[in-house]
Amino acid sequence: MAETVTVKVTVNGVEHEARVEPRMLLVHFLRDELDMTGTHIGCDTTNCGACTVLVDGVPMKSCTMFAVQADGHDLTTVEGLGDNGGLEPIQEGFHQEHGLQCGFCTPGMMLVSKALLAENPDPSEAEIRRAISGNLCRCTGYQNIVKSVQYAAKKIRTGSAESTVGGGAS
Amino acid sequence: MSATKAQDIGGLGHSVRRKEDARFVRGKGRYVDDVKLKGMCYLALVRSPYAHARLKGIDISAAMKVPGVLAVITGKDLEEAGLAWMPTLSHDQQMVLATGKVLFQGQEVAAVVAESRFAAADGAAAVRVDYEELPVVIDPHAALGKDAPVLREDRDEKSNHIFHWEAGDRDATDATFDASDVVVTQDMVYQRCHPAPLECCACVADWDTVNEKMTIYMTSQAPHAHRTLFALVAGLPEHKIRIISPDVGGGFGNKVPIYPGYVVSAVASLKLGRPVKWTEERSGNLQSTGFARDYHMHAELAASKDGKIRALRVKTLGDHGAFNAAAQPSKFPAGFYNICSGSYDLENAFVEVDGAYTNKAPGGIAYRCSFRVTEASYLIERTVDVLADELGMDPAELRKKNFIAPDKFPYVTPLGWTYDSGNYAGAMDRALEMVGYEDLLKEQEEKRGRGELMGIGISSFTEIVGAGPGKQCDIAGIEMFDSCEVRIHPTGKVLARIGVQTQGQGHETTFAQILAEELGIPVGDITVEHGDTDTAPYGLGTYASRSTPVAGAATAVAARKVRAKAQKIAAHLLEVDEADLEWKDYAFRVKGAPDKAKTMQDVAFAAYTNVPEGLEAGLEAVDYYDPPNMTYPFGTYICVVDIDKGTGDWKVRKFVAVDDCGTVINPMVVEGQIHGGLTEGFAISKMQLIDYDEGGNITGGNFMEYLIPTAVETPHYDTDKTVTPSPHHPIGAKGVGESPNVGSPAAFVNAVIDALSPYGVRHIDMPITSDKVWKALRDAGIQD
Ligand code: FES
Ligand code: FES
């Protein structure tokens, strides 16, 4: 077997330690070693963002980092959103505003959006579009993703938000 | 008993939030690559670096020494099992692993199975293949030339010509052309592109050595058809094959065919007696799995001076790559391309298509369209604009003048289809109003006066979706019906299983809405399952916008069968005659005394506890629906662009989409489908191209070269609808997923060309990149 090294990371508040090959990508570490399969893989050229996670709160493409580079860092993956089965505003926004179809880009989209809202609680449409431009979606055409983020922003700011797509909630 | 409203139960026409979201927003979706089985090993493919080469030898010794490698499988090994080739869905065969020679770059040559995905990749890199390069044929026209090397040595025909196909009346069409005042001609290429769903293809093949059963988790848009094909090709008994298509990360046609990776994984699992996972890389996805289009089209329209279009004549060459792996009904070598007379009432039309082999990846599949409809729609909508330019007529006016009038439906086209219903002018008027057409024309005139480039592009498309009918449409002989099985439990909760499968369309919600509407049971009490061939009734799968037209119809009919039995039980409970009951406001009500009523929930309990004598217990039904005709959704899209003269870049300022897909089940889901499809159309018109250099090297084989629009360039869309129900569909629905991708490329392109038309530009082939526009401007001598 190839040489291995120890990696110690905190993922969604829980500490994990494992021995991995130095060449193992963070995305494979999360998916194969920790069985957190909510982080997806959509390309091999760092273009799609399906693998996005937060590293110390900053969105990173986990296919472009080695697991060892995450050593000592604090990660958030989609599995860390919401609590006790409840949804946090960004998840609620995607659901209410139909910001997802096949769901494959959704974890990455929600995490970049969460990072955006942490910095900019009231982003314009252009700011949202720019923030998610490292993440590709093949299904939605982005329009409802923008609305999902706006919904979450409003919910975080004011404690409530109304959905707008498809003639409103039903 | 008070009346239940559609809204309370989530019936038709309501934007019910999707049930499937609950798992996706928590990262709990289960896609194929998420499947992890005990003892699972991993498969990696060795691909050809050459587009055409003789295979002189494969040395696997170094690969076998790589730690963790369990097996290396080559074409020779498959040959012994009779599996070196597999049938395609288009009367052709395709190599699973190459034997003799390779025919395109990226072709599957060998497979390495190992304990981990890394060891498999290391093993694949260590396989040594000895190639002798052969001359490469890339251009399909050249492929049909006399001197072209014959690519397919396995065929009896010693040429690269695959098929000739025609529709319509050639002589009558020629005669109309000869007698017409005006004829326009346009050559155009609908370029090779790729559906590129965000999830690539993957499978986990799991051979159970004890029960001799093969379970395959697979990114499949058609699990049942794939099961039957596996049974026929691999010789496994069909009841010992189970295909599970779990959550699928987008399909768009890419996941309709069977690819070599699936077959080799099954072979590897049989060989090793362990589960084997194959996950395609994006480069492999773009380089070897189903591409779309690559149609080289020549279109002619004949018209009178005053703009009455009289006839259409089309000659087309389709480039199918190394194998004709087009995924389409078997009697239609060019798919439904003869929908190319579009929304117009013509005297005559004739279309002919030839297919050619080249040293490119095999295909082509229908990328978000039902079998060459996108090519057809682009062709007619583009050519109508060329005619408008020739006549100096407003493109909206020209279209309106030639639309099939609403009272002419059902309308038989000169190319042989019977359109079910339509009101084309209605959709167009709404779109013109939304976009503010008159004002735009004024603005454009002013801008043109100042030398600014602004364009308005219209596309008034007609789609054809929902294959069957079974006698007309089959996949490998299996008639294209679809199915639903509905079971109501004693407490009034419902389990439904459907023969189609979802890749993001939201079937678990929308099919529950159809049932809610038919049964009066709330959407929340209905579970819809799909994608597992051991449990779901047989169906042909989700593509060609056929889920709603076919399986949606089966769902409504199955529910009505349940209701017919339920009515007997309700009569028994109410102690009235069955004929005295009517189904109204979601309950069985006594005619004239509507408060005397029983709901489906009341009946369900009785179906298990208190059935009338002579009736069997239980409350369930199944329906296999064979549609009497296809459905014909339509709409008008209008795009407004501004072009930067300095860079040639074009930006969409406004895009209006008015769709008519008949009865709408869930407006939110329909709107989402339209946004997504328009964006794919935008991508094709502006940036997507799978190209090859002269040596057959693919350019466009990864996401750095094959571009997917981001949120920044993607336009904002304004959508609306008109509703012209399908007269033959049980709930009047027509299907919508593909309309936006079928209709929109012409709208984008027409807008760009309209902006350039004052400078004599009549056509630019897609993708219309800035450099193409810039060159056109330079050629016209008007660079800033
Ligand atoms: S997998 Fe595509 S960017 Fe990471
Ligand atoms: S929802 Fe399918 S890729 Fe975004």
Side-chain angles (χ1 to χ4, degrees):
Chain A
M1 232 21 222
E3 171 209 354
T4 58
V5 289
T6 301
V7 183
K8 222 190 223 177
V9 288
T10 304
V11 185
N12 306 325
V14 179
E15 231 180 64
H16 296 270
E17 192 179 320
R19 290 197 67 81
V20 300
E21 278 191 57
R23 63 173 173 171
M24 178 176 270
L25 299 174
L26 178 58
V27 67
H28 288 132
F29 178 72
L30 292 168
R31 291 178 53 80
D32 296 347
E33 299 297 314
L34 304 187
D35 285 335
M36 292 188 179
T37 54
T39 304
H40 299 145
I41 301 171
C43 72
D44 28 44
T45 47
T46 314
N47 288 98
C48 78
C51 61
T52 306
V53 299
L54 301 184
V55 179
D56 304 324
V58 179
M60 294 290 248
K61 291 178 174 174
S62 63
C63 71
T64 313
M65 258 180 95
F66 292 113
V68 292
Q69 291 176 291
D71 187 50
H73 292 278
D74 194 356
L75 311 186
T76 306
T77 69
V78 62
E79 288 90 349
L81 298 180
D83 50 29
N84 294 327
L87 300 182
E88 64 176 70
I90 192 67
Q91 294 167 295
E92 191 184 311
F94 272 74
H95 174 57
Q96 286 298 339
E97 300 292 71
H98 192 31
L100 67 152
Q101 291 180 26
C102 78
F104 205 73
C105 69
T106 314
M109 285 289 182
M110 291 192 302
L111 289 164
V112 283
S113 306
K114 184 182 165 82
L116 167 72
L117 296 182
E119 262 187 15
N120 179 355
D122 193 8
S124 65
E125 169 162 359
E127 285 169 332
I128 295 170
R129 284 186 181 260
R130 184 159 306 279
I132 62 172
S133 65
N135 293 62
L136 302 177
C137 176
R138 291 295 285 145
C139 301
T140 65
Y142 305 106
Q143 196 157 316
N144 287 346
I145 293 183
V146 170
K147 287 189 174 171
S148 305
V149 180
Q150 287 167 335
Y151 178 104
K154 179 139 190 255
K155 177 97 190 225
I156 296 169
R157 281 195 327 270
T158 68
S160 73
E162 269 119 55
S163 87
T164 53
V165 308
S170 190
Chain B
M1 205 185 85
S2 67
T4 304
K5 297 201 182 64
Q7 210 164 327
D8 306 334
I9 54 165
L12 294 184
H14 294 278
S15 291
V16 176
R17 268 42 188 171
R18 300 196 323 165
K19 292 158 166 265
E20 36 277 87
D21 292 355
R23 58 181 188 275
F24 294 136
V25 298
R26 292 177 172 87
K28 297 291 181 206
R30 196 185 193 215
Y31 303 90
V32 174
D33 194 44
D34 302 343
V35 173
K36 199 175 184 181
L37 303 178
K38 208 163 163 268
M40 189 170 79
C41 38
Y42 298 79
L43 184 142
L45 291 170
V46 178
R47 296 180 182 277
S48 168
Y50 297 110
H52 195 197
R54 187 128 349 250
L55 270 183
K56 311 256 295 182
I58 301 179
D59 180 2
I60 65 166
S61 54
M64 285 304 290
K65 288 196 198 104
V66 171
V69 168
L70 300 165
V72 179
I73 300 169
T74 65
K76 274 221 176 74
D77 302 321
L78 296 183
E79 216 160 38
E80 283 156 24
L83 285 174
W85 292 77
M86 62 179 180
T88 70
L89 297 178
S90 290
H91 309 285
D92 196 359
Q93 58 171 0
Q94 168 176 3
M95 286 186 218
V96 178
L97 293 176
T99 49
K101 62 179 191 170
V102 290
L103 285 158
F104 66 95
Q105 188 180 55
Q107 187 177 338
E108 303 81 357
V109 174
V112 177
V113 191
E115 295 288 356
S116 73
R117 56 173 105 222
F118 297 95
D122 289 345
V127 172
R128 294 278 161 263
V129 186
D130 190 8
Y131 296 98
E132 176 193 321
E133 283 187 75
L134 295 168
V136 169
V137 183
I138 288 304
D139 174 24
H141 297 281
L144 297 185
K146 274 202 206 54
D147 310 326
V150 175
L151 302 182
R152 291 286 300 279
E153 291 164 357
D154 58 300
R155 292 171 83 233
D156 295 336
E157 301 88 332
K158 293 299 165 221
S159 86
N160 298 321
H161 185 254
I162 312 175
F163 65 84
H164 175 83
W165 173 83
E166 47 188 61
D169 186 332
R170 184 197 294 264
D171 295 338
T173 303
D174 288 349
T176 310
F177 265 84
D178 292 343
S180 292
D181 310 331
V182 183
V183 170
V184 290
T185 299
Q186 185 62 53
D187 285 320
M188 55 188 107
V189 179
Y190 203 131
Q191 80 274 24
R192 180 174 275 241
C193 47
H194 195 286
L198 200 57
E199 177 204 33
C200 297
C201 298
C203 75
V204 179
D206 181 18
W207 174 245
D208 175 341
T209 50
V210 176
N211 296 305
E212 299 196 319
K213 181 161 180 171
M214 177 68 82
T215 300
I216 309 179
Y217 299 83
M218 180 170 159
T219 45
S220 168
Q221 292 181 235
H224 282 99
H226 287 163
R227 183 186 70 193
T228 302
L229 290 170
F230 263 103
L232 295 174
V233 173
L236 292 169
E238 197 167 356
H239 67 300
K240 297 281 191 182
I241 305 174
R242 178 184 188 186
I243 309 270
I244 300 174
S245 184
D247 289 324
V248 175
F252 316 122
N254 194 181
K255 293 163 181 169
V256 175
I258 291 185
Y259 295 117
Y262 303 142
V263 178
V264 195
S265 300
V267 170
S269 182
L270 275 166
K271 186 176 159 115
L272 296 169
R274 293 172 60 175
V276 175
K277 178 187 276 189
W278 167 65
T279 309
E280 188 179 57
E281 288 165 346
R282 176 58 62 191
S283 49
N285 175 256
L286 291 172
Q287 291 169 20
S288 69
T289 64
F291 75 89
R293 329 284 195 239
D294 216 341
Y295 255 31
H296 303 247
M297 314 185 284
H298 174 82
E300 295 171 278
L301 276 179
S304 66
K305 279 195 293 287
D306 62 347
K308 181 77 196 77
I309 308 175
R310 301 187 58 195
L312 168 73
R313 196 160 55 192
V314 179
K315 193 169 167 52
T316 291
L317 178 59
D319 182 342
H320 286 255
F323 310 101
N324 184 7
Q328 62 202 0
S330 66
K331 296 186 193 83
F332 296 85
F336 302 160
Y337 189 54
N338 52 330
I339 191 75
C340 60
S341 57
S343 309
Y344 309 104
D345 194 358
L346 308 182
E347 291 166 39
N348 285 298
F350 177 71
V351 45
E352 58 186 321
V353 182
D354 289 89
Y357 291 119
T358 58
N359 289 119
K360 302 184 195 171
I365 53 89
Y367 169 11
R368 205 170 184 146
C369 93
S370 75
F371 323 120
R372 306 292 183 186
V373 180
T374 303
E375 290 91 324
S377 171
Y378 177 71
L379 174 130
I380 184 71
E381 288 306 308
R382 194 69 272 289
T383 314
V384 165
D385 259 35
V386 170
L387 177 65
D389 190 46
E390 178 77 21
L391 295 169
M393 236 174 122
D394 176 272
E397 190 193 325
L398 176 62
R399 283 178 168 81
K400 269 198 188 170
K401 192 177 175 119
N402 289 285
F403 279 154
I404 300 159
D407 59 2
K408 286 210 170 176
F409 293 90
Y411 174 85
V412 181
T413 76
L415 293 171
W417 299 111
T418 304
Y419 292 0
D420 57 349
S421 62
N423 179 4
Y424 303 148
M428 174 173 261
D429 286 342
R430 178 71 191 117
L432 292 172
E433 179 193 323
M434 278 170 77
V435 83
Y437 193 60
E438 294 304 322
D439 291 343
L440 284 172
L441 289 177
K442 276 193 211 108
E443 182 193 340
Q444 186 181 43
E445 202 179 314
E446 284 166 27
K447 288 209 159 140
R448 282 186 174 164
R450 295 198 297 269
E452 290 172 35
L453 303 178
M454 168 191 165
I456 308 163
I458 302 177
S459 169
S460 296
F461 63 93
T462 291
E463 255 256 78
I464 170 170
V465 305
K471 291 286 169 272
Q472 195 175 12
C473 300
D474 67 86
I475 295 282
I478 302 163
E479 297 188 0
M480 294 181 75
F481 57 82
D482 229 291
S483 61
C484 175
E485 184 187 284
V486 186
R487 185 175 302 167
I488 307 188
H489 303 318
T491 52
K493 314 293 175 188
V494 180
L495 173 64
R497 288 173 169 143
I498 52 179
V500 292
Q501 193 280 341
T502 172
Q503 311 107 41
Q505 294 89 340
H507 291 5
E508 289 162 42
T509 307
T510 53
F511 281 69
Q513 287 183 260
I514 297 175
L515 290 166
E517 182 71 31
E518 296 290 336
L519 300 172
I521 294 175
V523 156
D525 291 348
I526 302 171
T527 295
V528 174
E529 293 183 350
H530 54 82
D532 182 342
T533 59
D534 264 11
T535 55
Y538 205 102
L540 273 291
T542 296
Y543 42 85
S545 286
R546 63 186 297 284
S547 282
T548 299
V550 193
T555 302
V557 174
R560 287 172 196 178
K561 287 181 182 172
V562 165
R563 222 164 61 198
K565 176 172 180 182
Q567 183 150 351
K568 294 191 200 315
I569 301 172
H572 164 71
L573 295 177
L574 290 164
E575 298 179 340
V576 294
D577 198 83
E578 208 192 315
D580 294 335
L581 289 180
E582 60 181 347
W583 176 257
K584 206 166 166 253
D585 296 330
Y586 307 106
F588 295 104
R589 297 173 191 276
V590 176
K591 288 178 191 162
D595 287 347
K596 272 193 80 186
K598 289 288 171 197
T599 63
M600 195 59 78
Q601 288 90 336
D602 301 331
V603 170
F605 195 69
Y608 296 87
T609 58
N610 176 19
V611 270
E613 216 160 308
L615 204 64
E616 63 183 34
L619 198 53
E620 59 183 76
V622 57
D623 188 67
Y624 287 81
Y625 188 82
D626 183 5
N629 186 7
M630 280 174 255
T631 60
Y632 297 82
F634 60 90
T636 293
Y637 298 155
I638 305 180
C639 174
V640 186
V641 302
D642 297 300
I643 298 182
D644 181 327
K645 268 175 150 178
T647 63
D649 190 28
W650 54 277
K651 285 215 164 57
V652 177
R653 183 208 307 180
K654 197 172 179 65
F655 195 104
V656 163
V658 176
D659 273 275
D660 193 322
C661 58
T663 305
V664 171
I665 299 167
N666 182 323
M668 173 192 83
V669 167
V670 166
E671 193 186 43
Q673 287 287 313
I674 292 167
H675 290 168
L678 293 174
T679 304
E680 293 189 343
F682 170 68
I684 290 166
S685 62
K686 196 176 170 80
M687 59 187 85
Q688 293 187 335
L689 171 67
I690 300 271
D691 206 4
Y692 292 81
D693 69 14
E694 282 163 28
N697 300 299
I698 189 167
T699 57
N702 59 56
F703 271 175
M704 290 196 289
E705 295 175 321
Y706 187 74
L707 303 180
I708 307 291
T710 75
V712 170
E713 4 358 295
T714 300
H716 179 95
Y717 311 108
D718 294 317
T719 60
D720 200 2
K721 62 172 185 292
T722 58
V723 178
T724 310
S726 169
H728 65 75
H729 187 279
I731 61 168
K734 287 190 169 186
V736 75
E738 291 159 350
S739 293
N741 192 37
V742 163
S744 70
F748 291 111
V749 173
N750 285 347
V752 175
I753 302 301
D754 181 51
L756 300 173
S757 64
Y759 306 98
V761 177
R762 217 172 227 190
H763 180 74
I764 298 176
D765 273 330
M766 299 187 291
I768 305 191
T769 50
S770 331
D771 65 302
K772 284 190 191 170
V773 175
W774 186 85
K775 278 183 197 134
L777 290 169
R778 184 196 56 193
D779 293 349
I782 49 151
Q783 213 87 72
D784 265 353

